[in-house]
Amino acid sequence: MSLSEGVEWSLHCAWLLAQVPPGKALSSRRMAEFYGLPPAYLSKLLKSLVRAGILAATTGPRGGFRLARPAAGITVLEVTEAVEGSGPLFRCTEIRQQGPAPALKADCRRPCGIAQVMHDAEQAWRAHLAATTIADLVGQATSGSGGRVRAWLDRLPEHAAPTRPGLAIVDD
Amino acid sequence: MSLSEGVEWSLHCAWLLAQVPPGKALSSRRMAEFYGLPPAYLSKLLKSLVRAGILAATTGPRGGFRLARPAAGITVLEVTEAVEGSGPLFRCTEIRQQGPAPALKADCRRPCGIAQVMHDAEQAWRAHLAATTIADLVGQATSGSGGRVRAWLDRLPEHAAPTRPGLAIVDD
């Protein structure tokens, strides 16, 4: 069992978007380029993050994705669940109630020891993921990686200040 | 993402085998019967538990499976990993090193914040599963379920004391 690669990609994209200046956005194509990922699959993934309320999408020539909420309010658990779903890792099918000596209904009001330990372990996993936000991840990154991201963002033509027609240099 | 049903089945079978009297065994067919499970798939699963050193198999008319070690020495984590493998839930593919602004090799000697939080969460999950043994699960079961298991085991013809030829009643 393992999480899909979409979890890694989504967390990295959220981390990247947290560093995009206010009022700007990043297209799916740009993010695929930044991480060397397949654009079509990444685009599908980003749409699922929009559906989960983690990203917001804007259209137009300078459109793209941005975080839908402050990075400090988006947890690693939310991003993971947006990709993998929020269902349990361990699905109890109550096999104790099957066969020639089934458990009594009265004994099955509570989960059995097996379901309980699997559930408790899973809660510990989720609690760890819920305790870290995208803002925490940005804060933990090395100054070098933050600098590289800012330099790359600054070079994007779509992030350059729009030329105001009134200020255009005209050759006549 | 979810664990396969084989984890649930294996843990329940280990729990059942922990209650089989010393020197006796349970066939795959009997365990499939007890839990109402598909015999062919269960048989395959039990063989993987033998390969993992959790169960031992004996042959012959009274043969079958038994725990390879005391139930107090077999953890829920071991059974889970025998079925699912011991690989990580989150596989980091180091996408930070790809694209037009890759992370420096020197910055990649340690996992990034994303890989670290996913790893820490997974460690918490494994620690919970490693802290519970099959003996703990038997101890936690209701007295009713233990009684039902013992009654079912006592009724199995292959668990009856073998008739010693010298004591057979002969009608002549």
Side-chain angles (χ1 to χ4, degrees):
Chain A
M1 176 194 64
S2 60
L3 296 164
S4 81
E5 54 200 353
V7 172
E8 183 189 19
W9 300 2
S10 298
L11 287 166
H12 277 277
C13 286
W15 177 84
L16 183 57
L17 288 172
Q19 294 168 84
V20 168
K24 307 235 162 134
L26 263 188
S27 70
S28 161
R29 189 174 58 84
R30 284 291 185 207
M31 285 186 268
E33 179 190 324
F34 187 81
Y35 288 120
L37 300 174
Y41 181 24
L42 186 65
S43 170
K44 212 170 143 180
L45 199 59
L46 295 170
K47 282 173 193 159
S48 70
L49 296 178
V50 171
R51 279 193 298 275
I54 292 166
L55 303 188
T58 54
T59 52
R62 286 165 182 266
F65 297 91
R66 53 182 179 76
L67 294 183
R69 292 176 273 136
I74 301 172
T75 69
V76 171
L77 180 64
E78 281 177 273
V79 177
T80 303
E81 290 189 339
V83 180
E84 292 286 349
S86 56
L89 301 183
F90 177 83
R91 293 178 193 271
C92 170
T93 63
E94 286 283 343
I95 62 173
R96 64 178 166 168
Q97 296 190 43
Q98 296 173 188
L104 303 175
K105 286 275 175 205
D107 285 344
C108 297
R109 282 191 206 117
R110 288 171 51 189
C112 75
I114 291 170
Q116 191 63 54
V117 65
M118 299 307 285
H119 175 78
D120 291 348
E122 206 167 311
Q123 281 302 100
W125 179 71
R126 284 182 204 279
H128 256 79
L129 301 185
T132 300
T133 67
I134 301 303
D136 294 332
L137 295 174
V138 172
Q140 286 161 14
T142 61
S143 57
S145 72
R148 279 180 306 103
V149 168
R150 278 189 299 276
W152 177 77
L153 289 169
D154 286 347
R155 286 196 305 273
L156 298 180
E158 65 269 32
H159 280 197
T163 309
R164 286 168 59 193
L167 294 177
I169 295 164
V170 182
D171 263 352
D172 62 354
Chain B
M1 179 194 62
S2 61
L3 296 164
S4 80
E5 56 200 352
V7 172
E8 181 188 21
W9 299 3
S10 298
L11 286 167
H12 277 278
C13 286
W15 177 85
L16 183 57
L17 288 172
Q19 295 168 82
V20 167
K24 307 235 161 133
L26 263 189
S27 69
S28 160
R29 189 175 57 85
R30 284 292 185 209
M31 284 185 268
E33 179 190 324
F34 187 80
Y35 288 120
L37 300 174
Y41 181 24
L42 186 65
S43 171
K44 213 170 143 182
L45 199 61
L46 296 170
K47 282 173 193 157
S48 70
L49 296 178
V50 171
R51 280 194 298 276
I54 291 166
L55 303 188
T58 54
T59 52
R62 285 164 183 266
F65 297 90
R66 55 183 177 76
L67 294 183
R69 292 176 273 135
I74 301 171
T75 69
V76 171
L77 179 64
E78 281 178 272
V79 177
T80 303
E81 291 190 338
V83 179
E84 292 286 349
S86 57
L89 300 184
F90 177 82
R91 294 177 193 271
C92 170
T93 63
E94 285 285 342
I95 61 172
R96 62 178 167 168
Q97 296 190 43
Q98 296 174 187
L104 303 175
K105 285 275 175 204
D107 285 344
C108 297
R109 285 193 202 113
R110 289 169 52 189
C112 74
I114 291 170
Q116 192 63 53
V117 66
M118 297 308 285
H119 175 79
D120 291 347
E122 205 167 313
Q123 280 303 99
W125 179 71
R126 284 182 206 280
H128 256 79
L129 300 185
T132 300
T133 68
I134 302 302
D136 293 333
L137 296 174
V138 172
Q140 286 160 12
T142 61
S143 58
S145 72
R148 280 180 305 103
V149 168
R150 279 189 298 278
W152 177 76
L153 289 169
D154 287 347
R155 285 196 306 271
L156 299 179
E158 66 270 30
H159 280 197
T163 310
R164 287 167 60 194
L167 294 176
I169 296 162
V170 183
D171 261 353
D172 63 353

